[in-house]
Amino acid sequence: MAGSERRRPKAGSRTKASQTLSRPNPATPNGVAQALVAIVLLGVAGWMVYGRSLSYPFIFDDFHSVVMNPSITRLWPLFGASSPFVAPFDSPTAGRPLVNLSLAMNYHFGQIDPWGYHFVNLTLHVLSAVLLWAIVQRTLQLPYFANRFDRAAFGLSLLVALAWLVHPLVTESVEYTTQRTELMMGLFYLATLFTSLRYFTATTSKHQMLWLLLAGVACAAGMACKETMVSAPFAVLLFERTFLARSFWRALRRSWPLYVALALGWIVLLTLNLGGPRSASAGFHRGIPAHVWWFTQAKVLAMYFKLSFWPWPLSVHYRVPLLETFAVAWPWLVFALVLGIGILIALGRRSAAGFIGACAVMTLAPTLAVPILKEVAVERRMYLPLAAILTLTIVGGYRLLCSVAQVPASNEPKIFRWPLAATLTFGAILVVVMGAVSSLRLTAYRDAVTLWQDAARRDPNDLIAIQNTGIALNDAQRSEEAARYMRQALERFPDWPEGYHVLGVALINLQRPAEAIDYLEKSFPSPDDTLAHFHLGLALLNAGRPVEAIDQFEMVVQEQPDVSTFQNRLGMALFLAGRPQPALEHFRKAVALEPDSAMIRKNLALTLKAVNSLPEAREEFEKTIRLAPDDLDARAQLAIVYNDLGQSADAVATAEKALAMARAAGNVPMSQSLENWLKQNRK
């Protein structure tokens, strides 16, 4: 869909246009055969690049969207506060119910095994590539192009889809499970374009109605996946105006039922975002002036453009300093201005290049316009724009070769042979090279430590990459290494609160709470004060200072009362400080938030036992054992409660079973304790 191609024949009716499209072309295989070839090639290419990475673990936000996401642990009921349609507030899938539902389906069939989640992501990407192939091929066969691409459409469109499928810039979207938001939105965006194209070229009113309904559903579904979908109706309108109707008014007049159906998707999007489900991470209320963000995004736009053509080195995080004045931002603003003017001129001429450029900008526009301070630039935002850029590059490159060869508008095979052969050959080489680069890039995703170490090596001054490397080392139970790594970083950045926080967590894991307290107290003020207070409280608790820990945990619970871990730790601090009654309140809240946690139920049971609420303690110990049958301490405590309630037979039976399990496990201290208890309590 290149440059200045203008439709030569007069605008005819939709029926005439569709007859032109549907007329068999003797030089190409039939549509079914082409579809099969495209699906097989794209599927094989996707598997060859991504197949070995399906077993890679979850990373970064995957722990919030999958591992720690309570809303995906059940598929029923579909509606209500605890349904898979309602993700936790400010989580990556909040306000994106279809994505959260897809994760719930993954969880239903495979729990938290990463393989299934990665497989679904790859499948979504391959399906999107198939849709991209179909859209490009059908568009190239429209009367707008006056038969210029009839013989080349299949090869060019397949090359576009293959190049996009294996391009290194999309590896983050495919491999990073949480970015299913981008994948599903992209799939439905392309589905909206494809079904709208079929509506435009339908030959019967029955087929028109079918494609209209499918387009409306696809558009609404995309709105329920990610906000970037907001531009899809505009893209469809621009498509019809460029390739079919010659003007916006004519497009609206002849296809108004379609645009009504697409516009209904905006109602879905508005409804899902009324409560600001992710307002804590994005928006001008975060304190950045609008002009500073827009200046900076002009530079980011140039970086995206560069990565589209030279995708190396890539990183899970890019540190892009904010451009606060025109004096430092003007080169990037000139680039953005020239690009914008070029697109507007092309749009005015009804050029295919104008449509493609406008689509790329429209899909980028939401993140270019609205600040997301933690992610000034990320690769996944180029998922759909890259498809547009590759389409323009490949098809435009072919047309350029035809112009150099002075090829007229003809379908003669001998005329089109060498430009098409050269384009496909060079394109195939690039696809192989890009596939190899993508495969190399994917090695960084084999674990979180490798991924963040890669980002930190790319930019040694990227504090977020350094911080997340330390966090990943802690999560991987490599806290000694994390402590050394963070100490070295703090020598370079001594005024860095988040660094002291990560170092403090490493020292907690190493059971050095007194030392951890010193560093954690230096972590204030921090952008994440809640976690800093929590870990300081944990260090104080481990150091035998529960009264001081209470103050820290109370601040945490006040900020986030719906986190079971926070309620549980406050309960523990209160219990150890000799305040069992207030502890009960927080243990009960923790159990309500996480009813399947054996540890929390055991804490509640122990506290109930301490306040002599024995019947309820018995019930909670019994639930604990059902959740954790190997918990010998819970069995021993239950035996004591049975005995205190006068249920001697149950007490002895429980203790004897616990003793047998302790002996089998080689737990000598527990065995001796149970033997002594049984000697004293057997009749």
Side-chain angles (χ1 to χ4, degrees):
M1 290 186 284
S4 59
E5 302 296 344
R6 301 295 299 272
R7 186 171 63 173
R8 294 299 186 268
K10 293 182 179 180
S13 67
R14 180 181 290 114
T15 301
K16 290 181 180 179
S18 61
Q19 287 172 347
T20 303
L21 272 175
S22 61
R23 186 172 61 244
N25 189 332
T28 62
N30 62 61
V32 174
Q34 288 181 346
L36 289 174
V37 170
I39 292 170
V40 170
L41 281 178
L42 292 168
V44 170
W47 184 266
M48 290 179 66
V49 173
Y50 289 95
R52 67 184 179 87
S53 67
L54 296 183
S55 60
Y56 286 0
F58 295 122
I59 57 168
F60 201 32
D61 277 346
D62 292 346
F63 291 95
H64 297 290
S65 58
V66 179
V67 180
M68 303 297 291
N69 185 353
S71 65
I72 70 168
T73 57
R74 56 180 63 87
L75 285 174
W76 192 261
L78 281 178
F79 301 98
S82 60
S83 79
F85 281 128
V86 184
F89 187 81
D90 211 40
S91 67
T93 54
R96 298 162 176 176
L98 285 188
V99 179
N100 206 62
L101 177 63
S102 75
L103 295 174
M105 294 177 69
N106 264 127
Y107 186 92
H108 178 75
F109 290 105
Q111 300 298 299
I112 57 171
D113 181 358
W115 195 96
Y117 295 84
H118 290 316
F119 179 78
V120 170
N121 274 24
L122 175 56
T123 302
L124 291 169
H125 184 45
V126 171
L127 289 175
S128 293
V130 172
L131 279 174
L132 178 62
W133 158 76
I135 292 167
V136 174
Q137 173 166 304
R138 285 181 173 273
T139 302
L140 291 176
Q141 293 174 330
L142 287 173
Y144 172 93
F145 292 103
N147 301 323
R148 283 185 174 86
F149 296 102
D150 280 2
R151 296 182 183 277
F154 175 71
L156 293 175
S157 59
L158 185 56
L159 181 58
V160 167
L162 280 168
W164 183 61
L165 180 79
V166 304
H167 197 287
L169 197 54
V170 305
T171 51
E172 180 188 77
S173 299
V174 181
E175 188 61 30
Y176 186 179
T177 301
T178 300
Q179 297 320 311
R180 187 173 297 182
T181 54
E182 195 76 39
L183 294 176
M184 290 185 66
M185 181 279 298
L187 177 68
F188 288 122
Y189 202 114
L190 292 169
T192 301
L193 284 173
F194 176 75
T195 51
S196 297
L197 175 56
R198 297 302 303 269
Y199 169 83
F200 296 141
T201 59
T203 56
T204 68
S205 59
K206 181 179 179 180
H207 286 160
Q208 284 179 7
M209 181 57 64
L210 173 64
W211 291 113
L212 182 149
L213 291 173
L214 290 175
V217 170
C219 188
M223 302 289 183
C225 294
K226 195 169 186 179
E227 298 72 25
T228 313
M229 187 72 185
V230 67
S231 64
F234 295 116
V236 173
L237 177 61
L238 191 57
F239 182 97
E240 186 177 11
R241 177 261 184 185
T242 300
F243 298 112
L244 298 168
R246 294 191 176 183
S247 73
F248 289 116
W249 171 245
R250 188 175 297 176
L252 289 169
R253 188 175 59 184
R254 76 179 223 156
S255 302
W256 67 265
L258 173 66
Y259 296 113
V260 170
L262 298 181
L264 292 175
W266 287 330
I267 299 176
V268 174
L269 182 62
L270 178 63
T271 303
L272 292 173
N273 285 274
L274 281 177
R278 286 173 314 287
S279 57
S281 58
F284 288 105
H285 65 282
R286 300 288 293 171
I288 179 173
H291 73 278
V292 171
W293 180 257
W294 296 335
F295 283 178
T296 306
Q297 287 303 299
K299 180 177 181 179
V300 170
L301 185 64
M303 185 191 80
Y304 288 155
F305 191 79
K306 173 260 178 185
L307 289 175
S308 298
F309 294 98
W310 189 262
W312 200 264
L314 298 174
S315 177
V316 71
H317 183 264
Y318 292 88
R319 181 180 63 90
V320 182
L322 297 177
L323 306 182
E324 298 184 355
T325 65
F326 180 82
V328 296
W330 74 265
W332 317 112
L333 293 173
V334 169
F335 169 80
L337 182 63
V338 170
L339 180 64
I341 291 174
I343 291 174
L344 288 176
I345 292 173
L347 282 174
R349 299 177 60 193
R350 288 183 53 244
S351 166
F355 166 75
I356 293 174
C359 283
V361 172
M362 283 193 297
T363 50
L364 269 175
T367 53
L368 292 177
V370 180
I372 307 175
L373 290 185
K374 289 187 176 180
E375 296 179 333
V376 178
V378 287
E379 294 167 12
R380 58 182 172 273
R381 292 176 191 159
M382 282 299 292
Y383 185 68
L384 274 183
L386 180 65
I389 291 172
L390 291 175
T391 302
L392 181 60
T393 302
I394 291 172
V395 180
Y398 167 70
R399 282 300 299 147
L400 180 62
L401 288 179
C402 290
S403 298
V404 170
Q406 297 182 339
V407 176
S410 170
N411 280 330
E412 290 298 322
K414 62 181 181 180
I415 297 177
F416 274 79
R417 185 176 299 153
W418 84 258
L420 181 60
T423 302
L424 295 181
T425 300
F426 184 67
I429 294 172
L430 279 181
V431 166
V432 172
V433 171
M434 288 192 296
V437 174
S438 292
S439 183
L440 177 63
R441 171 61 185 156
L442 287 168
T443 59
Y445 286 85
R446 64 178 180 266
D447 59 62
V449 173
T450 304
L451 184 64
W452 286 108
Q453 284 178 335
D454 174 77
R457 280 194 298 268
R458 178 187 175 278
D459 185 351
N461 295 318
D462 188 342
L463 293 181
I464 290 180
I466 296 171
Q467 176 187 0
N468 285 322
T469 300
I471 293 172
L473 287 167
N474 277 329
D475 291 342
Q477 299 182 349
R478 296 162 59 180
S479 294
E480 190 71 53
E481 188 176 347
R484 288 196 304 270
Y485 181 80
M486 296 311 299
R487 287 185 196 276
Q488 292 171 0
L490 286 166
E491 288 177 1
R492 296 170 54 214
F493 308 103
D495 299 323
W496 181 31
E498 293 90 338
Y500 289 109
H501 182 184
V502 177
L503 176 56
V505 174
L507 294 169
I508 290 173
N509 294 342
L510 293 170
Q511 299 182 2
R512 290 150 62 181
E515 191 178 353
I517 291 169
D518 293 336
Y519 288 107
L520 288 167
E521 287 177 339
K522 297 179 182 178
S523 67
F524 301 98
S526 164
D528 200 351
D529 278 353
T530 300
L531 277 180
H533 281 297
F534 172 73
H535 286 119
L536 178 55
L538 193 59
L540 289 165
L541 194 64
N542 292 349
R545 297 158 62 180
V547 175
E548 296 169 78
I550 290 171
D551 294 335
Q552 302 299 320
F553 290 138
E554 283 180 339
M555 284 187 279
V556 171
V557 167
Q558 186 176 1
E559 287 293 322
Q560 297 188 28
D562 296 331
V563 179
S564 61
T565 301
F566 297 165
Q567 294 283 358
N568 179 57
R569 290 295 182 177
L570 177 54
M572 291 176 64
L574 289 164
F575 182 83
L576 293 173
R579 299 166 59 187
Q581 285 294 347
L584 274 178
E585 175 189 349
H586 295 285
F587 284 135
R588 291 187 195 280
K589 289 180 179 178
V591 166
L593 290 166
E594 194 175 352
D596 295 333
S597 171
M599 177 189 68
I600 295 175
R601 284 200 178 274
K602 181 179 173 181
N603 288 340
L604 174 59
L606 289 168
T607 309
L608 289 165
K609 177 174 174 284
V611 299
N612 208 34
S613 187
L614 298 181
E616 195 177 354
R618 174 187 59 195
E619 182 181 349
E620 292 300 330
F621 276 126
E622 288 172 345
K623 290 179 180 178
T624 299
I625 291 170
R626 284 197 291 271
L627 291 167
D630 296 331
D631 191 331
L632 297 177
D633 181 60
R635 290 182 181 275
Q637 293 291 337
L638 179 58
I640 295 171
V641 171
Y642 278 145
N643 194 61
D644 291 345
L645 287 169
Q647 298 175 241
S648 302
D650 289 333
V652 171
T654 300
E656 287 177 341
K657 184 170 183 179
L659 176 60
M661 293 173 65
R663 287 172 174 169
N667 191 333
V668 176
M670 179 61 75
S671 298
Q672 292 175 346
S673 176
L674 288 166
E675 287 171 356
N676 293 335
W677 189 88
L678 283 167
K679 287 178 182 177
Q680 294 173 7
N681 291 279
R682 273 199 186 108
K683 291 184 178 179

